[in-house]
Amino acid sequence: MAATAGDAARILSRRDLSFLLYEWLDAAALTTRERFADHSRETFEAAIDTSAKIAADHFQPINRLLDENEPTFDGEKVTTPAPLKRALAAFAESGLTAAGQDYDLGGMQLPSVIEKACVAYVMGASVAAAGYPMLTVGNANLLVAHGSREQVDRYVRPMMNGRFFGTMCLSEPQAGSSLADITTRAERQADGTWRLFGNKMWISGGEHDLAENIVHLVLARTVVPGEPPLPGVKGISIFIVPRTLVGDDGRLGERNDVVLAGLNHKMGYRGTTNCLLNFGEGRFTPGGRAGAIGELVGAPNQGLAIMFHMMNEARIGVGLGAVMLAYTGYLHALDYARQRPQGRRPGAKDPRAPQVPIITHADVRRMLLAQKAYAEGSLALVLYCARLVDDQHSAPDEATRRRAHLLLELLTPIVKSWPSQWGQESVSLAVQVHGGYGYTRDYPVEQFYRDQRLNPIHEGTHGIQALDLLGRKMNLADGAAAQAFATVIGDTAARAGAASAEWGGHGAALVSLTARVGTTVRRLLGQHDPELGLANASVFLEAFGHLVLGWVWLEQALVAHDALGQRGLETGGAGGAPDEDDESCFYRGKLQAARFFLRWELPKVTPMLELLDSVDPTCHAMRDEWF
Amino acid sequence: MAATAGDAARILSRRDLSFLLYEWLDAAALTTRERFADHSRETFEAAIDTSAKIAADHFQPINRLLDENEPTFDGEKVTTPAPLKRALAAFAESGLTAAGQDYDLGGMQLPSVIEKACVAYVMGASVAAAGYPMLTVGNANLLVAHGSREQVDRYVRPMMNGRFFGTMCLSEPQAGSSLADITTRAERQADGTWRLFGNKMWISGGEHDLAENIVHLVLARTVVPGEPPLPGVKGISIFIVPRTLVGDDGRLGERNDVVLAGLNHKMGYRGTTNCLLNFGEGRFTPGGRAGAIGELVGAPNQGLAIMFHMMNEARIGVGLGAVMLAYTGYLHALDYARQRPQGRRPGAKDPRAPQVPIITHADVRRMLLAQKAYAEGSLALVLYCARLVDDQHSAPDEATRRRAHLLLELLTPIVKSWPSQWGQESVSLAVQVHGGYGYTRDYPVEQFYRDQRLNPIHEGTHGIQALDLLGRKMNLADGAAAQAFATVIGDTAARAGAASAEWGGHGAALVSLTARVGTTVRRLLGQHDPELGLANASVFLEAFGHLVLGWVWLEQALVAHDALGQRGLETGGAGGAPDEDDESCFYRGKLQAARFFLRWELPKVTPMLELLDSVDPTCHAMRDEWF
């Protein structure tokens, strides 16, 4: 497929983005905070314009090319396609890598919610290409929060201008989800420096030819002569291990002892290299001997705490990638459904009449409306969580910061897992709308489907998110996080009741489900055998996720309802004259997607809660030898 | 991946197959019918042994190779990998292509249910390679039923011994699901022969280098000089159009005017060529002029009726392919879960203790049990339908034949759609059990996931199946088909009530759901606006499908319950001593999978029926301009 200039309108609906940012989340109000005082809605929009343009000009046109031309490894070096370098250079030159960073680091000091809106475009244009800057930003954020001034100067500044890229090295071949079992060692030397030895698996962006240097952040078990090592997660620290050593003057020095052992070949996401890396195998000998030289970040043995500190934002990032595959898939399917003639309406059987565009068929509208509900709903959730990140960091009062923190902790498993799960259903429907064409590599949805399948696996599998939500988050701070969420639901329901009987009814249903979820949690966690309750965690994750999305859609419906009301328009289901303007149609679409979610999707929660309340032992009792 | 000899035990559980064939469906009883009088359980087993061995030796080892080495087209000819030719030759030499055919055609005259069991192995080993013989068998079955004696001799006999392969040419670029809109013409010549002109799309096996000849069965609009053409589906006939003409003596003659316009490049199923074919473009000039020479099959203008006559079996075939991807995916995931150590049980936090195999984790058992329920359940459904095919054709009494026919008509949309939908969920869980490894092309599940996505698209999309079920089948023969199904459910429930309170409760629930479905159908089809009812057809398909599978699992549970009872064993949920033998463990696995389906899956039907009963207008009312 030729690399032609792309089309931002097939990545993301700018009208929807504005609706979410300004009509729902009131992002403009953030400009009253000191950190964002130089900003205005205009500066926010300018940043989003820039990102949309780069996404359409540089990322979207190469997405298939990256899929068809995987990075190659000749035993010495990794080669990536030249257009990828140009796209990433354009992104770095725009300053977007530092969109959220402080001015004194060369950043734009944009709120998280606006940064995520910018990132949405590049992710939707090419999630694999976007992986490199996203990993780099995550790495930089960790160092800004926990690194020394010197570490920030040496590593973060070159990352912000695109000279260095970053990675996160957590997993090992024998330790994927179980970080307690990593065996990579960081040995303290007599001179106080550290040398690392071990193998890291699944390292995205772990080796490539795209930057002058790669800054690995590596979890390793600290070994200090004369001190007994701490077992499990307690003995893990986090280290900067640059591919090439960096001098105090910022110049690149010797090659560090980090080498690529092999590239993984994936179903999708092929443009992002994914590697097995060997640390300290002696292929290079910095300072005259084997061992990868690393710099400790923060205090020793705090590696996991530091890593988890950044995990919420990383998980929002994965969620956003999943959202954007669903979103661009939806827009492609919508476009196809409007163009493709096929069949006639039921009852209109005259075969000599022209065929109708397939969007005319109710079942195609169902598939499109489901995609709209999944994609726009999960984008709303991601932006809401990003808004919580802003409140957590920069809200003027402690109570708001605390509340935002608790809600964010609670919602993080959802914002990671829900778009991953339903985003795949969404892309599958996008394929289905295309029929046989959607199954061919001539249409972008085919790639979106393969790319999307990674999301329920990386950054904590679906099952890990479920255990986090049920086992940790629902009772966080003695249940204060869950209580904060119940209060949010109650507020929304009260506004819904004031708006109309239709929306008030949905609000009341959400309040009732929320109360019921509380009972379910107590029941599951109150089991004599804790494994029995946790054996149902995945169903709980899915039930709670649907409840959260039901709230997201009710919130959007209330905004749209008010907007139509201000125009003096009715908002009933059959409302809407055919000649309404684009704005009114937009709001009617929001109401209809909300109805779809609240009527077609939310009721799925009830049998899930009934199953959970029965504390069903089927899976728990199943034995290996019975399979 | 090197082509090593495969492992039939990772394709299909032979113990499960025997359970379904002999303990549930009593396939051995078929040997009392005249057509199968020479057969015995031993001859059935010998055929299955042969197929399992060919599948493991020839198909499974090349499955990845076929994926990585797509057929190529140099503008003149299509080249497929050499190992594919050897696999297909082994299959043909075994005689399995003619497994179900009459002795006088060189067939084995096996019952459909045994033929499907044989086919299951090759499909599970390589669904793409299996595509060629499956298409050929479908083609041959149509000709045996509707062709002349000469046509059978000329085309079917060489297909049965592997010299010729067959295709079905229905779709066209402008007419996928809408066959009324095909424009390929068959023009009757002055001498009574036919010449075809037009383009056919999505032709699986449409061109290749695997056989001496390819026999296309082509739907085309008949054009007879002096007669006005009939519009829509009424004017369509079906023709044999061989790639190379075949003389009365069976010898190959001139090249016919059928040429490959291009190969489609797919997400999966890559080993089966899929083509755009041009008929009559004049590249070849048989008999000295342009036009593809075709032979009419059956009467003129009966093309669709003849094609649909074979459609039930073709749809069972697609369902079986979907089943087998799920089934082999499940067995691969089970094997991985038993081998892969990761993490520890909740509460066992000592990081110095060894890690446990992941099958120890309840959530992994959930994923495996769900796969077992989907894969074994849908295999049971396919074999049940194949048994109905046998009853339809060879049951001694008319009432049984009629009942089988009605049930088969009713269940065909389910046997095609349910395995396609839930088989994809099943393979997705198989990927998830593998974690990151499952997303790499080093593990077979990655390919199964891509292969499987075709199944809800071809042989009638999911939406087409839904319209067929709700709009046609539920009221077939004045509701006699639905009534036959309700009687089946009632019989099962009565036996379940006699077995135990647990299974009796599930039986009663199925009876109640079945009655409720009847009400739902009347409500949906009784709408003043027929489009409104049909706008909900997909949800109805999924609700009814789950109900059918609930019945399939209750049937299996009753067999297992009885078997355990005959061994003097308790069958409660917590039952089973650790030292029970393999046979008892097998039955306990069946009971546990039945519990999973009936407790975790079947309750999903209730909110679907509630939605349907509300005749929700959301999708129907949605307008193009609101998206």
Coordinates of all heavy atoms in Angstrom, one line a residue, chain A residues 402 406 409-410 467-483 517-518 520-526 540:
Chain A
R402 N -6.9 14.2 46.9 CA -7.1 12.9 47.5 C -8.2 12.1 46.8 O -8.1 10.9 46.5 CB -7.5 13.1 49.0 CG -8.0 11.9 49.8 CD -6.8 11.0 50.3 NE -7.4 9.9 51.0 CZ -6.7 8.7 51.1 NH1 -5.5 8.6 50.6 NH2 -7.2 7.8 51.8
L406 N -7.8 8.5 44.8 CA -8.6 7.3 45.1 C -9.4 6.8 43.9 O -9.4 5.6 43.6 CB -9.5 7.5 46.3 CG -8.9 7.7 47.7 CD1 -9.9 8.2 48.7 CD2 -8.2 6.4 48.1
E409 N -7.0 5.2 41.4 CA -6.5 3.9 41.8 C -7.6 2.9 41.5 O -7.3 1.8 41.0 CB -6.2 3.9 43.3 CG -5.0 4.6 43.7 CD -3.7 3.8 43.4 OE1 -3.7 2.6 43.5 OE2 -2.8 4.5 42.9
L410 N -8.8 3.3 41.8 CA -10.0 2.3 41.6 C -10.2 2.1 40.1 O -10.4 0.9 39.7 CB -11.2 2.9 42.2 CG -12.5 2.0 42.1 CD1 -12.4 0.9 43.1 CD2 -13.7 2.9 42.4
L467 N -7.5 -9.3 39.7 CA -7.1 -9.5 41.0 C -6.8 -8.1 41.7 O -7.0 -7.9 42.9 CB -5.8 -10.4 41.1 CG -6.0 -11.8 40.7 CD1 -4.7 -12.6 40.6 CD2 -7.0 -12.5 41.7
D468 N -6.2 -7.2 40.9 CA -5.9 -5.9 41.5 C -7.2 -5.2 41.9 O -7.3 -4.6 43.0 CB -5.2 -5.0 40.4 CG -4.8 -3.7 40.9 OD1 -4.4 -3.5 42.1 OD2 -4.9 -2.7 40.1
L469 N -8.2 -5.3 41.0 CA -9.5 -4.6 41.3 C -10.2 -5.2 42.6 O -10.5 -4.5 43.5 CB -10.4 -4.6 40.1 CG -11.8 -3.9 40.4 CD1 -11.6 -2.4 40.5 CD2 -12.8 -4.2 39.3
L470 N -10.4 -6.5 42.5 CA -11.2 -7.1 43.6 C -10.3 -7.3 44.8 O -10.8 -7.0 45.9 CB -11.7 -8.5 43.1 CG -12.5 -9.2 44.1 CD1 -13.8 -8.4 44.5 CD2 -12.9 -10.6 43.6
G471 N -9.1 -7.7 44.7 CA -8.3 -8.0 45.9 C -7.7 -6.8 46.6 O -7.4 -6.8 47.7
R472 N -7.5 -5.7 45.8 CA -6.8 -4.5 46.4 C -7.7 -3.3 46.3 O -7.9 -2.6 47.4 CB -5.5 -4.3 45.6 CG -4.3 -4.1 46.5 CD -3.0 -4.2 45.7 NE -2.9 -3.1 44.7 CZ -2.5 -1.9 44.9 NH1 -2.2 -1.5 46.1 NH2 -2.4 -1.0 43.9
K473 N -8.2 -2.9 45.2 CA -8.7 -1.6 45.0 C -10.1 -1.4 45.6 O -10.4 -0.3 46.1 CB -8.8 -1.3 43.5 CG -7.4 -1.2 42.8 CD -6.5 -0.2 43.3 CE -5.1 -0.2 42.7 NZ -5.2 0.1 41.2
M474 N -10.9 -2.5 45.6 CA -12.3 -2.3 46.1 C -12.3 -2.0 47.6 O -13.2 -1.3 48.1 CB -13.2 -3.5 45.8 CG -13.5 -3.8 44.4 SD -14.1 -2.4 43.4 CE -15.7 -2.1 44.2
N475 N -11.3 -2.4 48.3 CA -11.2 -2.1 49.7 C -10.1 -1.1 50.0 O -9.7 -0.9 51.2 CB -10.9 -3.4 50.5 CG -12.2 -4.2 50.8 OD1 -13.3 -3.6 50.8 ND2 -12.1 -5.4 51.2
L476 N -9.6 -0.4 49.0 CA -8.5 0.5 49.2 C -8.9 1.6 50.2 O -10.0 2.1 50.1 CB -8.1 1.1 47.9 CG -6.9 2.0 47.9 CD1 -5.6 1.2 48.1 CD2 -6.8 2.8 46.5
A477 N -8.0 2.0 51.1 CA -8.3 3.0 52.1 C -9.6 2.7 52.8 O -10.5 3.6 53.0 CB -8.3 4.4 51.5
D478 N -9.7 1.5 53.3 CA -10.9 1.1 54.0 C -12.2 1.3 53.2 O -13.3 1.7 53.7 CB -11.0 1.8 55.4 CG -10.0 1.3 56.3 OD1 -9.6 0.1 56.2 OD2 -9.5 2.1 57.1
G479 N -12.1 1.2 51.9 CA -13.3 1.3 51.1 C -13.5 2.7 50.6 O -14.6 3.0 50.0
A480 N -12.6 3.7 50.9 CA -12.9 5.1 50.6 C -12.9 5.3 49.1 O -13.6 6.2 48.6 CB -11.8 6.0 51.2
A481 N -12.1 4.5 48.3 CA -12.1 4.7 46.9 C -13.5 4.2 46.3 O -14.1 5.0 45.5 CB -11.0 3.8 46.3
A482 N -13.9 3.1 46.8 CA -15.3 2.6 46.3 C -16.3 3.6 46.7 O -17.3 3.9 45.9 CB -15.5 1.2 46.8
Q483 N -16.2 4.2 47.9 CA -17.2 5.1 48.4 C -17.2 6.4 47.5 O -18.2 7.0 47.2 CB -16.9 5.5 49.8 CG -18.0 6.4 50.5 CD -19.4 5.9 50.2 OE1 -19.7 4.7 50.5 NE2 -20.3 6.7 49.6
V517 N -23.1 -4.0 43.9 CA -21.7 -4.3 43.8 C -21.0 -4.3 45.1 O -20.2 -5.2 45.4 CB -21.0 -3.3 42.8 CG1 -19.5 -3.4 42.9 CG2 -21.4 -3.7 41.3
G518 N -21.4 -3.4 46.0 CA -20.8 -3.3 47.3 C -21.1 -4.6 48.1 O -20.2 -5.2 48.7
T520 N -21.8 -7.5 46.7 CA -21.1 -8.6 46.1 C -19.6 -8.6 46.6 O -19.1 -9.7 46.8 CB -21.1 -8.4 44.5 OG1 -22.5 -8.4 44.2 CG2 -20.4 -9.5 43.8
V521 N -19.0 -7.5 46.7 CA -17.6 -7.4 47.1 C -17.5 -8.0 48.5 O -16.6 -8.8 48.8 CB -17.1 -6.0 47.1 CG1 -15.7 -5.9 47.8 CG2 -17.0 -5.5 45.6
R522 N -18.4 -7.6 49.4 CA -18.3 -8.1 50.8 C -18.4 -9.6 50.8 O -17.7 -10.4 51.5 CB -19.3 -7.5 51.6 CG -18.9 -6.0 52.0 CD -19.9 -5.4 53.1 NE -21.2 -5.2 52.6 CZ -21.6 -4.1 51.8 NH1 -20.7 -3.2 51.5 NH2 -22.8 -4.0 51.4
R523 N -19.3 -10.1 49.9 CA -19.6 -11.5 49.9 C -18.4 -12.3 49.3 O -17.9 -13.3 49.9 CB -20.8 -11.8 49.0 CG -21.4 -13.1 49.1 CD -22.7 -13.2 48.4 NE -23.1 -14.6 48.3 CZ -23.8 -15.2 49.3 NH1 -24.2 -14.5 50.4 NH2 -24.1 -16.5 49.2
L524 N -17.8 -11.8 48.3 CA -16.6 -12.5 47.7 C -15.4 -12.5 48.6 O -14.7 -13.5 48.7 CB -16.3 -11.8 46.3 CG -17.2 -12.1 45.1 CD1 -16.8 -11.3 43.9 CD2 -17.3 -13.6 44.8
L525 N -15.2 -11.3 49.2 CA -14.0 -11.2 50.0 C -14.2 -11.8 51.4 O -13.3 -11.9 52.2 CB -13.5 -9.8 50.1 CG -13.1 -9.2 48.7 CD1 -12.6 -7.7 48.9 CD2 -12.0 -10.0 48.1
G526 N -15.5 -12.1 51.7 CA -15.8 -12.6 53.1 C -15.7 -14.1 53.1 O -16.0 -14.7 54.1
F540 N -16.0 -10.3 38.1 CA -16.2 -9.0 38.8 C -15.6 -7.8 38.0 O -16.2 -6.8 37.9 CB -15.6 -9.1 40.2 CG -15.8 -7.8 40.9 CD1 -17.1 -7.6 41.5 CD2 -14.8 -6.8 41.0 CE1 -17.3 -6.4 42.2 CE2 -15.1 -5.6 41.7 CZ -16.3 -5.4 42.3

